[in-house]
Amino acid sequence: MATSPTSLTSPYPHLLAPLDLGFTTLKNRVLMGSMHTGLEDGRKHFPAMAAYFAERARGGVGLMVTGGFAPNIAGWTKPFAGMLASAGAARRHQQVTSAVHAEGGKIALQILHTGRYGYHPLCVAPSRIQSPISPFTPRELSAAGIERQIRAFVRCAMLARDAGYDGVEIMGSEGYLINQFLVTHTNQRTDDWGGSYARRMRLAIEIVRRTREAVGPDFILIYRLSIIDLIPGGSSWDEVVLLAKAVQAAGATLINSGIGWHESRVPTIATSVPRGAFTWVTKKLRDELRAAGLTIPVITGNRVNMPEVAEQVLSSGCADMISMARPFLADPEFVNKAAQGRSNEINTCIACNQACLDHAFKARLASCLVNPRAGHELSLIIKLAPARKRMAVIGAGPAGLAAATTLAERGHSVDLFDSASMIGGQFNLAKRVPGKEEFEETLRYFGQRLARTGVRLHLNTRVEAADLLVKAFDEVILATGVKPRNPRIPGQDLPGVLSYIDVLLGKHSVGQRVALIGAGGIGFDVAEFLVTQPGHSTALDLPAWLAEWGVADPAAVRGGVVRPVCTPPERHVTLLQRKPGKLGKNLGKTTGWIHRAALKTKNVEMLSGVNYERIVAHGSGLGLFITFGDQHKDATVLEVNNIVLCAGQEPLRELLEPLRAAGVKTHLIGGADEASELDAKRAIDQGTRLAAAL
Ligand code: NAP
Ligand code: SF4
């Protein structure tokens, strides 16, 4: 199998080298990994799914894998989830495969049997052990039941081939059914499918072997193998290596690395995870396979989001191919841009999960915060406007940037104004938060896009309504953002009470004891900022991050998890909110727990159900008087050096009335429209959709 890099004139010689699989050749080393978008879960979504994958095939990716399809009802992710179990269903999939092939692409179908992770009462598992992330207790499979699951996998693969797929990926990781058979944590059987490892791995091997027999030799068979389970009692390293060798012998074409189970308490793809954080584990496996004379290509992934990272991973021998899933939601043209030396134009996935995984876990169609067209290729179309208009966009935050660039791409004449000296608005605060460094990439992307689309950018320019009237724009878009909400706490004007903006911009020094008023997204961000030593973000320091989350070498510790090691910060931070209950409840579905866990390990105190009574000068610092409950009795005093106000936002829209009064067609987007729900996902989506329609 070819492993040599392409010519040295290629910007990414290893990444863009073809991969010869014997019976077929992939045009490069880029796999668009499986990502559940929700398009799998309804017949009506097939045209949208076809357009979604066709756009990415056009973008040059070597091989794509669909979101997971269950091989039978027991394997559903949720009731009536996507399933491929009949000839009729296979016919529907032909829309997808023919659209991809028409663009010169290749696509494999992922066969996903969720086992005890199934969010439905018909779920099954090796043993009757409920998972911590599902309310349903699985039924224990009988031996005949196991045989039925194997046959379902094989049937699904044959139907995939009939539907025109180039291959299948058998999902054996992330804690799903096959993975559940592999470890004693979930497999306590005493028959031929439990006990020794040889028996626990039988299901995986039988599925691969019988699938290969059924589909023939010229069909790609990817096996997704959990190389580090990140759960106590997970697979040992010897077991991982044994399984990889057995999977190759059974007929797999490629081994894809799976990292962690869904129930693991270690983040694996969030933005605070360092780039390429787990590629060293794939390297370990690849080295073992090569030492044994086995040549099966091995795929790695997880937090690889730019071509230079991918190139470095491949050139250092960590893997033969790179899997990226979310980066293709963010930018379908990722590979073409890399190949054409335009990687600075890539719309980089910032690993926020806000529009993709958070949607998928809430049964909403997935999209992308930085690319709202993802998953909506048929409905959100950016085409030339019927007439060129003169447009002004006020505010160069995410909403204004999205609107201005989209308008210009449609042929409008666009002037973009901002009073700040740089584009980005609130993103300039976010990028300063440890673990959110990726936000800088979005600003780089929009900077490039502004230049390319010819938007006239006016920084350091505060515009008044009169200026806009003089220039006689056809329409004005106000993306003027937000101002911090005034919580009106008696004593808040004392020195030492700071706004989150001043803190994040480093305009004030902050003492050792701090209280934060408000525990929304910004309160959590400011807490993280204050308990991290400047320049010590673990997102940029892999060994420190691994220690902080208790990730160990899986060759030394089963499952690769140990007790986290965290040096307590010098600063003591208390995070407060008025609502009762858990703090950070409205943070992202898939990332909120990470923020909470990170702050807890840094001893951040979290208080809810608080009434803010008053702030007073206290010694050389401040005293924050708080009470709990309706009676406002028995005040407690928090003695602190500083209090930071993170109490939400209010819209900034002073230009609206004068412009509308003067008869100018004026639109509001982003925080200027709705501060209570302000976030970048809504801002970019709203800016793009408005601009697509004007
Ligand atoms: P937010 O999420 O609305 O939180 C505001 C906080 O202030 C809440 O904890 C609220 O809790 C408190 N509050 C509201 N009115 C108050 C008052 N009058 N006095 C005292 N406290 C008050 O707003 P944000 O934290 O400013 O975030 C803005 C937006 O950016 C949000 O939509 C957020 O999702 C987004 N963002 C997201 C992230 C992320 O990690 N996903 C990070 C940063 C920002 P109580 O009313 O219970 O006290
Ligand atoms: Fe990446 Fe965020 Fe887009 Fe998901 S929503 S693909 S994590 S940028």
Side-chain angles (χ1 to χ4, degrees), residues 147-206:
E147 175 60 26
R148 277 195 296 279
Q149 309 312 307
I150 297 171
R151 279 202 228 120
F153 269 92
V154 175
R155 178 185 59 197
C156 185
M158 290 175 70
L159 289 167
R161 198 189 54 180
D162 293 347
Y165 284 103
D166 300 281
V168 288
E169 175 172 79
I170 293 173
M171 179 39 137
S173 65
E174 260 72 9
Y176 291 118
L177 181 76
I178 297 175
N179 220 174
Q180 291 158 24
F181 268 84
L182 290 172
V183 304
T184 51
H185 175 64
T186 41
N187 181 350
Q188 293 174 2
R189 302 176 72 94
T190 51
D191 64 359
D192 289 348
W193 302 93
S196 68
Y197 190 64
R199 289 179 174 176
R200 299 201 307 272
M201 75 171 189
R202 241 184 97 199
L203 179 73
I205 304 309
E206 282 296 296

Side-chain angles (χ1 to χ4, degrees), residues 354 436 485-487 517-523 525 577-579 587-588 595 612 646-649 676-679:
Q354 287 180 36
K436 290 201 164 174
R485 177 182 290 131
N486 180 352
I517 306 257
I522 289 178
D525 276 358
Q577 73 176 22
R578 298 172 305 175
K579 280 185 290 292
L587 296 177
H595 294 300
Y612 306 111
C646 311
Q649 335 278 333
S676 61
E677 278 184 31
L678 162 79
D679 65 26

